[in-house]
Coordinates of all heavy atoms in Angstrom, one line a residue:
G1182 N 0.6 18.7 4.5 CA -0.6 19.6 4.5 C -1.9 18.9 3.9 O -2.9 19.5 3.9
K1183 N -1.7 17.6 3.5 CA -2.9 16.9 3.0 C -3.2 15.7 3.8 O -2.4 15.2 4.5 CB -2.6 16.5 1.5 CG -2.5 17.7 0.5 CD -2.4 17.2 -0.9 CE -2.4 18.3 -1.9 NZ -2.4 17.9 -3.3
E1184 N -4.4 15.2 3.7 CA -4.8 14.0 4.4 C -4.2 12.8 3.7 O -3.9 12.8 2.5 CB -6.4 13.9 4.4 CG -7.1 14.9 5.2 CD -8.5 14.6 5.4 OE1 -9.0 13.6 4.9 OE2 -9.2 15.4 6.0
R1185 N -4.0 11.8 4.6 CA -3.5 10.5 4.1 C -4.5 9.9 3.1 O -5.7 9.9 3.4 CB -3.2 9.6 5.2 CG -2.3 8.5 4.9 CD -1.8 7.8 6.2 NE -0.9 8.6 6.9 CZ -0.2 8.2 8.0 NH1 -0.4 6.9 8.4 NH2 0.6 9.0 8.6
E1186 N -4.0 9.5 2.0 CA -4.9 9.0 0.9 C -4.7 7.5 0.7 O -3.5 7.0 0.6 CB -4.5 9.7 -0.4 CG -5.2 9.2 -1.7 CD -4.6 9.7 -2.9 OE1 -3.4 10.2 -2.9 OE2 -5.3 9.7 -4.0
R1187 N -5.7 6.7 0.6 CA -5.6 5.3 0.3 C -5.2 5.1 -1.1 O -5.8 5.7 -2.0 CB -6.9 4.6 0.6 CG -6.8 3.1 0.6 CD -7.2 2.4 -0.7 NE -8.2 2.9 -1.5 CZ -8.9 2.2 -2.4 NH1 -8.6 1.0 -2.6 NH2 -9.8 2.8 -3.1
V1188 N -4.2 4.3 -1.4 CA -3.7 4.0 -2.7 C -4.2 2.7 -3.2 O -4.8 2.6 -4.3 CB -2.2 4.0 -2.8 CG1 -1.7 3.6 -4.1 CG2 -1.7 5.4 -2.4
A1189 N -4.1 1.6 -2.4 CA -4.5 0.3 -2.8 C -4.7 -0.6 -1.6 O -4.0 -0.3 -0.6 CB -3.4 -0.3 -3.7
T1190 N -5.5 -1.6 -1.7 CA -5.7 -2.5 -0.7 C -5.7 -3.9 -1.2 O -6.0 -4.2 -2.4 CB -7.1 -2.3 0.0 OG1 -8.2 -2.4 -0.9 CG2 -7.2 -0.9 0.7
I1191 N -5.4 -4.9 -0.4 CA -5.5 -6.3 -0.8 C -5.9 -7.2 0.4 O -5.5 -6.9 1.6 CB -4.1 -6.8 -1.3 CG1 -4.2 -8.1 -1.9 CG2 -3.0 -6.7 -0.2 CD1 -3.0 -8.5 -2.8
R1192 N -6.8 -8.1 0.2 CA -7.2 -9.1 1.1 C -6.1 -10.1 1.2 O -5.9 -10.8 0.2 CB -8.5 -9.7 0.8 CG -8.9 -11.0 1.5 CD -9.1 -10.9 2.9 NE -10.2 -10.0 3.2 CZ -10.6 -9.6 4.5 NH1 -9.8 -10.0 5.5 NH2 -11.6 -8.9 4.7
F1193 N -5.3 -10.2 2.3 CA -4.2 -11.1 2.4 C -4.6 -12.5 2.3 O -5.6 -12.9 2.9 CB -3.4 -10.8 3.7 CG -2.0 -11.3 3.6 CD1 -1.1 -10.5 2.9 CD2 -1.6 -12.4 4.3 CE1 0.2 -10.9 2.8 CE2 -0.2 -12.8 4.2 CZ 0.7 -12.0 3.5
G1194 N -4.0 -13.2 1.4 CA -4.3 -14.6 1.2 C -5.2 -14.7 -0.1 O -4.7 -15.2 -1.1
A1195 N -6.4 -14.3 0.0 CA -7.3 -14.4 -1.2 C -6.9 -13.5 -2.3 O -7.1 -13.8 -3.5 CB -8.7 -14.0 -0.7
G1196 N -6.3 -12.4 -2.0 CA -5.7 -11.5 -3.0 C -6.7 -10.5 -3.7 O -6.3 -9.9 -4.7
Y1197 N -7.9 -10.4 -3.1 CA -8.8 -9.4 -3.7 C -8.2 -8.0 -3.5 O -7.9 -7.6 -2.4 CB -10.2 -9.5 -3.1 CG -10.8 -10.8 -3.2 CD1 -11.2 -11.6 -2.1 CD2 -11.1 -11.4 -4.5 CE1 -11.8 -12.8 -2.3 CE2 -11.6 -12.6 -4.6 CZ -12.0 -13.3 -3.5 OH -12.6 -14.6 -3.7
S1198 N -8.1 -7.2 -4.6 CA -7.4 -6.0 -4.5 C -8.3 -4.8 -5.1 O -9.3 -5.1 -5.8 CB -6.1 -6.0 -5.3 OG -6.4 -6.3 -6.7
D1199 N -8.0 -3.6 -4.7 CA -8.8 -2.5 -5.1 C -7.8 -1.3 -5.1 O -6.8 -1.2 -4.3 CB -9.9 -2.2 -4.1 CG -10.8 -1.1 -4.6 OD1 -11.3 -1.2 -5.7 OD2 -11.0 -0.1 -3.8
Y1200 N -8.1 -0.3 -6.0 CA -7.2 0.8 -6.2 C -8.0 2.1 -6.2 O -9.1 2.2 -6.6 CB -6.5 0.7 -7.5 CG -5.7 -0.6 -7.6 CD1 -6.2 -1.8 -8.1 CD2 -4.3 -0.6 -7.3 CE1 -5.5 -2.9 -8.2 CE2 -3.6 -1.7 -7.4 CZ -4.2 -2.9 -7.8 OH -3.4 -4.1 -7.9
A1201 N -7.3 3.2 -5.8 CA -7.8 4.5 -6.0 C -7.8 4.8 -7.5 O -6.9 4.3 -8.2 CB -6.9 5.5 -5.3
D1202 N -8.8 5.6 -7.9 CA -8.9 5.9 -9.3 C -7.6 6.5 -9.9 O -7.2 6.3 -11.1 CB -10.0 6.9 -9.6 CG -11.4 6.2 -9.4 OD1 -11.4 4.9 -9.4 OD2 -12.4 6.9 -9.2
S1203 N -6.9 7.3 -9.1 CA -5.7 8.0 -9.5 C -4.6 7.1 -9.9 O -3.6 7.5 -10.6 CB -5.3 9.0 -8.5 OG -5.0 8.4 -7.3
V1204 N -4.6 5.9 -9.4 CA -3.5 5.0 -9.7 C -3.9 3.7 -10.5 O -3.0 2.9 -10.8 CB -2.8 4.5 -8.4 CG1 -2.4 5.8 -7.6 CG2 -3.7 3.6 -7.6
K1205 N -5.1 3.6 -10.8 CA -5.6 2.4 -11.6 C -4.8 2.3 -12.9 O -4.6 3.3 -13.5 CB -7.1 2.5 -11.8 CG -7.9 2.0 -10.6 CD -9.4 2.1 -10.9 CE -10.2 1.7 -9.7 NZ -11.7 1.8 -10.0
E1206 N -4.5 1.1 -13.3 CA -3.8 0.8 -14.5 C -2.3 1.2 -14.4 O -1.6 0.9 -15.4 CB -4.4 1.6 -15.7 CG -5.9 1.4 -15.9 CD -6.3 -0.1 -16.1 OE1 -5.5 -0.8 -16.7 OE2 -7.4 -0.4 -15.6
R1207 N -1.9 1.8 -13.4 CA -0.5 2.1 -13.2 C 0.2 1.4 -12.0 O 1.4 1.0 -12.1 CB -0.3 3.6 -13.0 CG -0.8 4.5 -14.2 CD -0.4 5.9 -14.0 NE -0.9 6.5 -12.8 CZ -0.2 7.1 -11.8 NH1 1.1 7.1 -12.0 NH2 -0.8 7.6 -10.8
F1208 N -0.6 1.2 -11.0 CA 0.0 0.6 -9.8 C -0.6 -0.8 -9.6 O -1.8 -1.0 -10.0 CB -0.3 1.4 -8.5 CG 0.4 2.7 -8.4 CD1 1.1 3.2 -9.4 CD2 0.3 3.4 -7.2 CE1 1.7 4.5 -9.3 CE2 1.0 4.6 -7.0 CZ 1.7 5.1 -8.1
T1209 N 0.2 -1.7 -9.0 CA -0.3 -3.1 -8.8 C 0.1 -3.5 -7.4 O 1.3 -3.4 -7.0 CB 0.2 -4.1 -9.8 OG1 -0.1 -3.7 -11.1 CG2 -0.3 -5.5 -9.5
I1210 N -0.9 -3.9 -6.5 CA -0.6 -4.4 -5.2 C -0.6 -5.9 -5.3 O -1.4 -6.5 -6.0 CB -1.6 -3.9 -4.2 CG1 -1.2 -4.2 -2.8 CG2 -3.0 -4.4 -4.5 CD1 -2.0 -3.6 -1.7
S1211 N 0.4 -6.5 -4.6 CA 0.5 -8.0 -4.7 C 1.0 -8.5 -3.3 O 1.4 -7.7 -2.5 CB 1.4 -8.4 -5.8 OG 2.7 -7.9 -5.7
Q1212 N 1.1 -9.8 -3.2 CA 1.5 -10.3 -1.9 C 2.4 -11.6 -2.1 O 2.3 -12.2 -3.1 CB 0.2 -10.7 -1.1 CG -0.6 -11.8 -1.8 CD -1.8 -12.2 -1.1 OE1 -2.1 -11.8 0.0 NE2 -2.6 -13.0 -1.8
D1213 N 3.2 -11.8 -1.1 CA 3.9 -13.1 -1.0 C 3.5 -13.7 0.3 O 4.0 -13.2 1.4 CB 5.4 -12.9 -1.1 CG 6.2 -14.2 -1.2 OD1 5.7 -15.2 -0.5 OD2 7.2 -14.3 -1.9
Y1214 N 2.6 -14.6 0.3 CA 2.0 -15.2 1.5 C 3.1 -15.8 2.4 O 3.1 -15.7 3.6 CB 1.0 -16.2 1.2 CG 0.0 -16.5 2.3 CD1 -1.1 -15.7 2.6 CD2 0.2 -17.7 3.1 CE1 -1.9 -16.0 3.6 CE2 -0.7 -18.0 4.1 CZ -1.7 -17.1 4.4 OH -2.6 -17.4 5.4

Side-chain angles (χ1 to χ4, degrees):
K1183 293 188 177 181
E1184 289 190 4
R1185 197 167 289 187
E1186 172 193 23
R1187 192 267 321 202
V1188 175
T1190 57
I1191 189 166
R1192 163 66 65 186
F1193 203 72
Y1197 300 120
S1198 59
D1199 187 56
Y1200 300 89
D1202 288 343
S1203 59
V1204 306
K1205 280 181 181 176
E1206 309 300 328
R1207 300 189 298 121
F1208 290 12
T1209 302
I1210 189 170
S1211 62
Q1212 60 182 353
D1213 186 323
Y1214 198 82

